[in-house]
Amino acid sequence: MFSLSGFGTLGVVRSSDKEADFAPNAYQPKGPGFSRRWSATPDSKLGAQVTANFSDKLSATVQVVSQYQYDETFTPYVEWANIKYQITPDFSVRAGRIALPTLMYSDSVNVGYALPFVRLPIEVSGQLPVTHSDGVDTSYRFRVGEVTNTVQAFAGNYDAKVPSPYTEFNIRKLRGIVDTIEYGDLTLRASYQKLHYSFLPVNVNAFQQIMALGASYDPGPWFVSAERVRAPDSNLGLFYGWYAVSGVRADKFTPYLGYARTYMTNVGSLGFPPFINQDTATAGLRWDFRRNTSLKVQFDHTQRHGGWNVYFLNQQPAFKADGAVNLFSLAVDFVF
């Protein structure tokens, strides 16, 4: 009736920029760079998941994760907690805390072992750093010949703590739909969602839409995947981001290359000029040196093209908004 699984990452990151801290999401107040040259906080985490199968139709899942948070601790939190009812083999309904399926790797974004890189490129993930919602979703799967099509619809809310000065990040009226098409080794994915977000205690409110298109092809000896996001924000403007990554599997070793780009156009209601503008070239190597365990070595070269860069925190007076920064990452990923 019950099953237990787990995952984790032990990682360190070094930044060449001494005038700001790199952080992979909006919840981490510090990172490598200004605060310290080497840091274990960006990627290190530990998670456990319990699944209960009460019958062939009714099940429940709880996932708890510990990673670096807004208050500079690794206090565990509940990432998933939902009940699922399998109405038919192809149609299911869930209620509770559910993974938010914004991007291709949303279901496994915390499981480093399942990712082809050390972390999801911040040029795409940074626009909406939300990994779950409290609400409901439905999933319907049908087949046409050798093609499998899965449609998922969801609705919910989200509340989180973020570093000062905002303290709270809330999402309401979250609605979305995802369509995934699978044909052999090819996967195509399209998603759309809209929401209203706010930061407290300051009065920052905005409506946002997020549209994502992704594709991956993985015949085994090699793989390639790419994803593009378009996100209009009523406060800030129109955001674009995309990445592509490819690798070759040679026995236990997988060298890979990637490139990511993000920028903003237009102007939102707050009147800020376009400010998120950078690109990152990535080279890495994965070594599956034992069962269910891998070591990744990754080098990222990020070129910032001016403006206010929200991906680098604790900026000092000598910080260069149009400068370059190199990140070196080591990560041991495991599942059990």
Side-chain angles (χ1 to χ4, degrees), residues 3-47:
S3 62
L4 172 67
S5 59
F7 56 88
T9 297
L10 300 176
V12 292
V13 183
R14 185 184 189 277
S15 173
S16 66
D17 192 341
K18 300 179 182 179
E19 305 301 326
D21 289 340
F22 167 76
N25 60 57
Y27 310 111
Q28 298 188 1
K30 295 181 180 180
F34 168 70
S35 297
R36 57 185 71 89
R37 298 304 300 275
W38 290 87
S39 176
T41 58
D43 303 309
S44 297
K45 63 176 69 73
L46 182 65

